[in-house]
Amino acid sequence: EFKCDPNTKGFKGNIPLHYAAQKGHDDIIRKLVRDYGCDVMAKDEDGDTPLHLAALEGSLSTVCTLIEEFKCDPNTKGFKGNIPLHYAAQKGHDDIIRKLVRDYGCDVMAKDEDGDTPLHLAALEGSLSTVCTLIEEFKCDPNTKGFKGRIPLHHAAHKGHDDIIRKLVRDYGCDVMAKDEDGDTPLHLAALEGSLSTVCTLIEEFKCDPNTKGFKGRIPLHHAAHKGHDDIIRKLVRDY
């Protein structure tokens, strides 16, 4: 009635179709694409398509609608080279992961521009169930190197996800003393980011050497001091 342009760009270059996909409104998606000519593969300023946003927000029905009805490419790259599978893993949407890999042929070991796989992002964001899904169901290599040569264990330690650390080391054989391109171990990153519980987990449960040298010959204590983590400093010096 009022001749509004359905492809008008709004926040961050999103068109209305992006928003409908983000919120899982399949009926609106169908109307916008079929009747009003919206570009189903339109990219926002980050390079993300409606399919990326549907995967990010966890709408399985919308992911299916966009791929099955409108032939969206499930391996399309968006922000920083991420495919929809990266976003589903990042947010812990295991149902979408299964659908994307089993039915739509997504590459479960796809790497983004940083070199990280969906497994790296799941470990980084703290989704234990997704880490297990990717390794157990889809045989992802838990020692795959990503950003700066880091394995998923580095990312889990970096963010203080002790439950994921335990799973990766005890059940999946991750090398707890693995070094990244800078020479830093998961313990170095835990000390750098200030996770006291993770520092304790790595040293007490997995016998990591608190005097291991990393970047420029620094031990974890250097990293803790650099960032002002006094609680970790006390623990490292008094107890370890």
Side-chain angles (χ1 to χ4, degrees):
E1 292 182 34
F2 301 105
K3 310 304 178 186
C4 292
D5 182 359
N7 286 302
T8 298
K9 293 182 178 180
F11 178 68
K12 294 182 69 175
N14 287 300
I15 63 174
L17 183 61
H18 282 99
Y19 290 145
Q22 185 178 358
K23 294 298 184 179
H25 301 312
D26 295 355
D27 54 342
I28 294 178
I29 291 170
R30 293 184 181 101
K31 195 72 176 173
L32 287 171
V33 177
R34 290 176 179 161
D35 295 348
Y36 302 136
C38 277
D39 179 7
V40 76
M41 293 301 293
K43 293 192 172 188
D44 62 18
E45 291 177 0
D46 290 329
D48 287 334
T49 66
L51 180 58
H52 284 89
L53 300 189
L56 184 69
E57 294 301 318
S59 177
L60 177 58
S61 69
T62 301
V63 167
C64 295
T65 295
L66 290 168
I67 295 175
E68 294 177 13
E69 297 184 29
F70 299 107
K71 312 305 177 187
C72 292
D73 181 359
N75 287 303
T76 297
K77 294 182 178 181
F79 178 66
K80 294 182 70 174
N82 287 298
I83 63 175
L85 184 61
H86 282 100
Y87 287 165
Q90 183 180 350
K91 293 296 186 178
H93 302 311
D94 294 354
D95 55 343
I96 293 179
I97 290 169
R98 292 185 180 101
K99 196 72 175 174
L100 287 170
V101 178
R102 289 178 179 160
D103 295 348
Y104 303 137
C106 276
D107 179 7
V108 76
M109 294 302 292
K111 294 193 172 188
D112 64 17
E113 291 177 0
D114 289 330
D116 283 336
T117 67
L119 179 58
H120 284 88
L121 299 189
L124 185 70
E125 295 300 322
S127 178
L128 177 59
S129 70
T130 300
V131 167
C132 295
T133 295
L134 290 168
I135 295 175
E136 295 177 13
E137 295 184 30
F138 300 108
K139 311 307 178 187
C140 292
D141 181 359
N143 287 303
T144 297
K145 293 182 178 180
F147 176 68
K148 295 182 72 173
R150 292 173 181 168
I151 63 175
L153 183 61
H154 282 100
H155 287 354
H158 188 207
K159 292 295 186 178
H161 302 309
D162 295 354
D163 56 342
I164 293 179
I165 291 169
R166 293 185 179 100
K167 195 73 176 175
L168 287 171
V169 178
R170 290 177 178 159
D171 294 349
Y172 303 136
C174 278
D175 179 7
V176 77
M177 293 301 292
K179 293 193 173 187
D180 65 15
E181 292 173 0
D182 290 330
D184 284 336
T185 67
L187 180 58
H188 285 88
L189 299 187
L192 184 69
E193 291 303 311
S195 178
L196 177 59
S197 70
T198 301
V199 167
C200 295
T201 295
L202 290 168
I203 295 175
E204 295 176 11
E205 296 184 31
F206 300 108
K207 311 307 177 187
C208 292
D209 181 0
N211 288 305
T212 297
K213 293 182 178 180
F215 179 65
K216 291 190 174 180
R218 294 170 184 166
I219 62 175
L221 183 62
H222 285 101
H223 286 351
H226 179 66
K227 292 292 187 177
H229 302 309
D230 295 350
D231 55 342
I232 293 179
I233 292 169
R234 293 185 182 99
K235 194 72 176 176
L236 288 170
V237 176
R238 289 175 178 166
D239 295 346
Y240 303 136

